[in-house]
Amino acid sequence: MLDGGMVETTVVVQHREGLHARLAARLVQTANQFKQTVIRIGKDAREVNAKSIVGVLTLGIGQGAEVRLCAEGAEAEQALAALETLIRSNFGEEL
């Protein structure tokens, strides 16, 4: 079992193109930095592995979508902080 508790947050995707392939890849790359943590991303009633590009893309996250981020493991809080910062910063791009 993973050490550490489960943490969860909700964030709104503001990028004008939503979470398209390039941005989804950045999110997955960030999630994969946390090897000892299980990270999930969800929209509406669906939830997928945030470390899977295919899974993330299947959510069809558009501009203005509210997504849930859940993490469990040794680096759960750090993982969610990094992902939330990435999304809230608009992936470092202009709106």
Side-chain angles (χ1 to χ4, degrees), residues 11-42:
V11 64
V12 175
V13 175
Q14 294 297 329
H15 195 279
R16 68 182 171 276
E17 296 173 19
L19 203 56
H20 59 78
R22 183 172 42 81
L23 299 184
R26 289 185 60 196
L27 184 134
V28 169
Q29 288 172 340
T30 301
N32 275 306
Q33 293 175 7
F34 301 94
K35 302 291 184 205
Q36 299 176 8
T37 303
V38 174
I39 306 169
R40 311 275 300 162
I41 183 170

Side-chain angles (χ1 to χ4, degrees), residues 60-71:
I61 298 169
Q63 182 182 28
E66 184 175 270
V67 296
R68 289 176 318 284
L69 297 168
C70 306

